[in-house]
Amino acid sequence: MLAGCSNGPAASSTETAARLASIHRAEYLTVDGAGLFLMIRGEDRRRPILLWLHGGPGGAERPLFRYYNGDLEKHLVVAYWDQRGAGRSFDLQADPRRLTVARHLTDLDVVVDHLRYQFGRDKIILVGHSWGSMLGLLYAQRHPEKVAALIAVAPLIAPLESQRQEHAFILGEATRRQDEAVLARLCEIGPPPYETADQVLAIESLAGRYGAVFHRQPNRFWVLVAGVFRRLVTPWEIPRFLRANRVSLDAMTPELLTLDLTRSVPRIAVPVFFLLGRYDHHAGSAIAAHYFKVLEAPEKRLIWFEHSAHNPPFEEPARLDKVIERLARTLDSGASPPGCLHQRRIQTP
């Protein structure tokens, strides 16, 4: 009886401590006229901080990251940011001409400083998918003192070359398979460069038929239903998400086509990890692998996902989560004593 009595309060104290250590928060950061949506979740706020940088531009993947990769919240503090012009940060009245790479880099710096300030850290881990990896590489080049590491998943490195190789892949596959419908559609769209959302999405759709985007197609309807049921997304948000993606693609693709990280980011002063899908002919895993070879970094590692194309987070989620968790455990997140960040006067929204 005495043993039973003593265990009760102890268990209660443990549960209370766990509740105090966990974090489940959603907020909007007001940044230069925009409300940027940020969700932060984790079972222990003392763990390393991971900030997801979604693809697109404009492709808010927060519901997918939480659906497929939500287990990371058990081991890390995970922040999900809807970039300007995407997801819950999308403003139909906003001027799309403000959707630029420079603007996204400035926004990202505010988000990073906000997380560092809130959790008392010197550095956080960035994990980017597709365009998000390009954004992360550009940011880490400029602010290595704030980044513990960059994890680049199916990174977009040279958009124009990606379009050229994607077109060549579709043409080759369609010819080999004698797929006259795809050949006719490819002829109608024409060769790259593709500067509009209509063109980009049309080519992606054709590449997707041959396993270049998803190596194995998911049941999109079931994922949608499950996401709504689990309250990861609301039904009325979905048309808004799709609209935001098209607006961002139209606004930013011409600028992206002028970028090639092989030239603009030849070296980086933070650890870099590339997670590549073997069958990615959308952004192009061959392009990323070549860039990885020539990229100079204090530490770098390339990990192949043999059953994925452009979407390892959603095609091999369990393995990707384990890889990210293990990498995070080996990194120095630069935790600071309370008050240090106040002394450095980090500007927060």
Side-chain angles (χ1 to χ4, degrees):
M1 290 294 293
L2 291 175
C5 288
S6 63
N7 285 342
S12 178
S13 298
T14 301
E15 292 171 2
T16 300
R19 285 196 299 270
L20 291 174
S22 66
I23 180 168
H24 304 92
R25 186 171 75 207
E27 59 189 326
Y28 281 89
L29 308 182
T30 302
V31 184
D32 195 17
L36 304 183
F37 182 77
L38 182 67
M39 177 179 286
I40 310 169
R41 296 181 62 88
E43 294 187 1
D44 188 343
R45 64 178 65 231
R46 297 164 297 185
R47 300 285 177 83
I49 302 171
L50 183 81
L51 173 61
W52 274 109
L53 305 176
H54 65 69
E61 295 171 297
R62 168 178 41 82
L64 291 175
F65 290 143
R66 295 209 57 224
Y67 179 84
Y68 286 101
N69 312 110
D71 280 353
L72 286 172
E73 297 172 11
K74 299 176 182 177
H75 310 286
L76 304 166
V77 175
V78 184
Y80 307 91
W81 166 45
D82 289 5
Q83 298 163 25
R84 183 181 296 254
R88 293 181 181 174
S89 300
F90 177 59
D91 180 359
L92 189 58
Q93 305 303 318
D95 186 353
R97 290 175 297 182
R98 302 201 66 195
L99 296 175
T100 64
V101 174
R103 178 68 262 174
H104 277 67
L105 286 167
T106 300
D107 289 347
L108 175 54
D109 195 40
V110 173
V111 173
V112 168
D113 279 352
H114 178 73
L115 292 170
R116 294 169 61 225
Y117 176 86
Q118 291 295 319
F119 292 92
R121 309 296 175 84
D122 285 338
K123 302 177 181 181
I124 68 171
I125 302 166
L126 300 179
V127 55
H129 179 220
S130 192
W131 140 255
S133 292
M134 172 175 272
L135 178 62
L137 283 159
L138 290 167
Y139 180 82
Q141 181 191 46
R142 289 161 174 75
H143 300 286
E145 74 283 358
K146 301 179 184 182
V147 180
L150 173 67
I151 302 173
V153 186
L156 182 64
I157 302 300
L160 182 56
E161 183 59 25
S162 292
Q163 288 188 0
R164 289 170 177 158
Q165 292 194 18
E166 187 173 30
H167 179 275
F169 169 77
I170 297 167
L171 179 60
E173 284 296 302
T175 301
R176 182 177 67 83
R177 302 179 190 209
Q178 298 182 335
D179 192 335
E180 297 298 331
V182 169
L183 288 170
R185 179 63 176 140
L186 195 61
C187 183
E188 179 184 345
I189 298 169
Y194 306 121
E195 297 188 344
T196 69
D198 285 343
Q199 292 173 316
V200 170
L201 295 174
I203 287 296
E204 180 179 346
S205 177
L206 294 183
R209 296 190 187 191
Y210 301 140
V213 182
F214 282 91
H215 180 48
R216 294 179 181 174
Q217 289 294 331
N219 187 325
R220 297 172 189 268
F221 176 76
W222 169 248
V223 172
L224 176 60
V225 170
V228 171
F229 181 77
R230 290 168 54 180
R231 298 182 180 180
L232 304 179
V233 67
T234 61
W236 50 87
E237 283 185 298
I238 296 168
R240 187 180 183 88
F241 277 35
L242 297 175
R243 174 63 177 161
N245 190 32
R246 297 185 71 90
V247 169
S248 292
L249 284 173
D250 277 331
M252 294 187 65
T253 299
E255 181 183 8
L256 294 187
L257 291 174
T258 68
L259 299 181
D260 183 345
L261 298 190
T262 306
R263 295 195 300 267
S264 58
V265 188
R267 63 188 60 85
I268 199 167
V270 305
V272 179
F273 307 98
F274 275 31
L275 280 51
L276 306 183
R278 182 66 71 180
Y279 299 94
D280 183 2
H281 296 282
H282 180 48
S285 57
I287 297 172
H290 171 72
Y291 174 62
F292 177 84
K293 287 183 180 179
V294 300
L295 176 65
E296 298 178 20
E299 179 185 358
K300 61 180 188 176
R301 192 182 314 170
L302 188 154
I303 301 170
W304 286 99
F305 284 72
E306 301 293 344
H307 306 289
S308 297
H310 186 59
N311 291 288
F314 320 134
E315 298 184 81
E316 298 181 67
R319 182 175 178 231
L320 182 129
D321 289 357
K322 288 180 180 178
V323 168
I324 290 178
E325 180 194 346
R326 288 170 184 167
L327 291 175
R329 285 204 305 261
T330 67
L331 297 168
D332 175 19
S333 60
S336 300
C340 283
L341 293 183
H342 291 273
Q343 296 171 10
R344 294 175 191 174
R345 296 182 182 178
I346 291 176
Q347 185 176 359
T348 58

